[in-house]
Amino acid sequence: MSNVVITGSTKGIGNGLAREFLRRGHSVVVTGRTSQAVDEAVGKLGPDATGGALALGRATDVTDVEQVQALWDHAVAEFGRVDLWVNNAGVANTTAAIVDTTPEDVRGMVSTNMLGTIFGSQVAVRGMLAQGAGQVFNVLGGGSDGRIRPNMGVYAATKRGLDMFTRALVKETKDTGVRVGQVRPGMLITDGWLREAAVAPEQVSGQRKILNILCDHVDDVAPYLVEKMLASTRSGEEIAWLTNGRMMRKFLSPKQDVLTRYGL
């Protein structure tokens, strides 16, 4: 079975991916900014592990390349090798227009989303080249497809940039044992999404109809994404949940109230 590292996996889609890998018998290193968050996540994920899989954790600031390297070294020391590395850590602040986004929020999104994924890719690819094989997936998000959405200018710019970065990395690793791909998980209701909803409840109420159509729960999407990642055999793989076909089916199917689960 595979040994997996997932950055930003104490909650949200990263946590959902970790759980699904463990359920399939793959060992996972969970990461987050604080030891407390990592320990809590590992404790909750442990019972989902099957087939001798291990749920381990390490606090990591992905904007610090030395900490990212230490994460790789830790995983190799525990597992012997890393087969799959998922750059998932990200920050989204999507309640303000570009000119109203604070400097702190700009720095947070650019450093975590861009630097975190770039550093993670550098460290993982170097390590995988040395061990002879491996696979890296970068998790993208809203805006990576080039579409303009309200109040997502800065966040979308980072994700659009990561689309280009990932495509470049695919070409640079061609004819090696390292495969690179990207994951687009769609519109998921996560802790971060709920935090943003609390800041700007008028955005939720004003878009409730469309949100109920397009949004999904993490536990519904994570199994699909993990199966696709495990089945991937080529570099340049683009795994997307909210495809045009699925979006069309959502609009044509009976409407659901996704938001009620979260008290919205």
Side-chain angles (χ1 to χ4, degrees):
M1 290 296 179
S2 301
N3 300 315
V4 185
V5 175
I6 308 174
T7 66
S9 46
T10 58
K11 54 188 177 182
I13 185 59
N15 190 258
L17 296 177
R19 177 171 288 104
E20 294 303 321
F21 278 116
L22 289 166
R23 286 175 173 172
R24 289 160 176 75
H26 304 280
S27 293
V28 178
V29 177
V30 174
T31 78
R33 283 185 177 271
T34 69
S35 296
Q36 180 180 350
V38 170
D39 291 345
E40 289 178 357
V42 170
K44 293 177 180 178
L45 288 169
D48 287 291
T50 64
L54 298 175
L56 304 179
R58 184 177 181 87
T60 304
D61 179 352
V62 296
T63 68
D64 183 337
V65 69
E66 293 183 356
Q67 291 191 40
V68 178
Q69 183 63 57
L71 171 61
W72 171 273
D73 295 340
H74 174 74
V76 171
E78 293 290 341
F79 297 149
R81 61 181 289 119
V82 175
D83 302 296
L84 202 161
W85 179 290
V86 183
N87 287 308
N88 171 72
V91 173
N93 293 287
T94 60
T95 60
I98 293 173
V99 295
D100 297 321
T101 303
T102 67
E104 292 75 19
D105 285 344
V106 171
R107 291 191 185 95
M109 286 186 278
V110 172
S111 61
T112 302
N113 301 354
M114 296 289 290
L115 294 182
T117 299
I118 292 171
F119 290 156
S121 296
Q122 289 179 320
V123 167
V125 170
R126 288 191 195 111
M128 290 174 179
L129 288 172
Q131 69 185 16
Q135 191 159 22
V136 176
F137 277 104
N138 293 334
V139 178
L140 306 187
S144 61
D145 57 2
R147 297 179 184 178
I148 307 300
R149 298 173 175 86
N151 296 334
M152 291 181 63
V154 177
Y155 173 77
T158 66
K159 294 300 184 176
R160 185 62 168 168
L162 289 178
D163 173 74
M164 176 63 73
F165 169 78
T166 304
R167 293 176 188 276
L169 191 59
V170 169
K171 290 185 176 296
E172 290 188 7
T173 54
K174 183 181 179 182
D175 300 325
T176 73
V178 180
R179 302 195 304 276
V180 177
Q182 58 176 255
V183 176
R184 300 172 191 261
M187 297 174 60
L188 304 181
I189 302 180
T190 63
D191 291 339
W193 192 97
L194 292 171
R195 182 182 64 251
E196 297 250 292
V199 172
E202 69 283 353
Q203 290 188 187
V204 175
S205 60
Q207 302 178 49
R208 185 179 184 87
K209 182 177 180 180
I210 192 70
L211 291 174
N212 269 323
I213 294 173
L214 296 179
C215 286
D216 289 286
H217 308 299
V218 168
D219 49 359
D220 290 334
V221 176
Y224 172 87
L225 299 180
V226 167
E227 288 295 335
K228 288 293 186 180
M229 282 190 274
L230 291 173
S232 176
T233 58
R234 65 178 181 86
S235 197
E237 191 84 45
E238 296 183 19
I239 300 171
W241 168 258
L242 196 57
T243 60
N244 288 335
R246 180 172 275 111
M247 192 180 303
M248 183 176 296
R249 290 193 295 274
K250 279 174 168 286
F251 277 100
L252 295 176
S253 64
K255 302 304 179 287
Q256 57 182 345
D257 192 349
V258 178
L259 302 181
T260 297
R261 179 193 290 190
Y262 309 94
L264 297 174

